[in-house]
Amino acid sequence: MTILRISDTPLDLASHLEAVDSPHSGAVVTFIGRVRDHDPAVTGPVTLLEYSAHPSAVEVLRGLVERIVPNGILVAVSHRVGRLEVGDLAVIVCVSSAHRAEAYEVSRKLIEAIKAELPVWKKQHRADGTHDWVGLS
């Protein structure tokens, strides 16, 4: 089973780990992106994020996985949308493979592609009541 999901409900690490469980895999690499309380590009604390996704986001995610993930490697990846508080999980990428080097490489490539290419944007709210959009171009 593979998970490729854009979700408006809280992300569950256990289901992602279960999806990549295989007796052929000697390595499982997990990346978790969490909402943090700051952004180095802005002044003041970040209090929450609101993620929005283009309707094509799941298909774009599927294309990224097809392009990046070689046969024989299992992945489970989800990105959250909606209102997220500091500490909430925003993205999970789990990769399992026979060896750790390929699991690390695929995980890194996949999360970098997600950050660069997935049509998901965030409205970042700050403690002073202001906000800004990240990812719009």
Side-chain angles (χ1 to χ4, degrees), residues 27 69 81 90 120:
V69 180
V81 293
V120 171

Side-chain angles (χ1 to χ4, degrees), residues 65-83:
V65 168
E66 289 171 356
R67 184 180 86 216
I68 293 168
V69 180
N71 287 335
I73 295 181
L74 300 175
V75 299
V77 57
S78 295
H79 200 299
R80 179 96 183 268
V81 293
R83 184 182 174 109

Side-chain angles (χ1 to χ4, degrees), residues 11-88:
L11 302 182
D12 175 51
L13 178 59
S15 66
H16 288 72
L17 290 170
E18 183 180 336
V20 300
D21 187 37
S22 168
H24 301 292
S25 296
V28 177
V29 171
T30 301
F31 173 83
I32 298 172
R34 296 178 48 199
V35 176
R36 64 181 180 228
D37 66 357
H38 68 282
D39 180 341
V42 300
T43 302
V46 172
T47 57
L48 67 101
L49 300 178
E50 290 180 79
Y51 281 99
S52 302
H54 190 273
S56 68
V58 172
E59 289 308 311
V60 171
L61 185 58
R62 185 178 323 284
L64 294 174
V65 168
E66 289 171 356
R67 184 180 86 216
I68 293 168
V69 180
N71 287 335
I73 295 181
L74 300 175
V75 299
V77 57
S78 295
H79 200 299
R80 179 96 183 268
V81 293
R83 184 182 174 109
L84 282 76
E85 303 290 333
V86 171
D88 286 347

Side-chain angles (χ1 to χ4, degrees), residues 20 27-30 73-76 93-97 102-103 106-107 110:
V20 300
V28 177
V29 171
T30 301
I73 295 181
L74 300 175
V75 299
V93 177
C94 290
V95 178
S96 72
S97 66
E102 60 193 356
V106 169
S107 177
L110 192 52

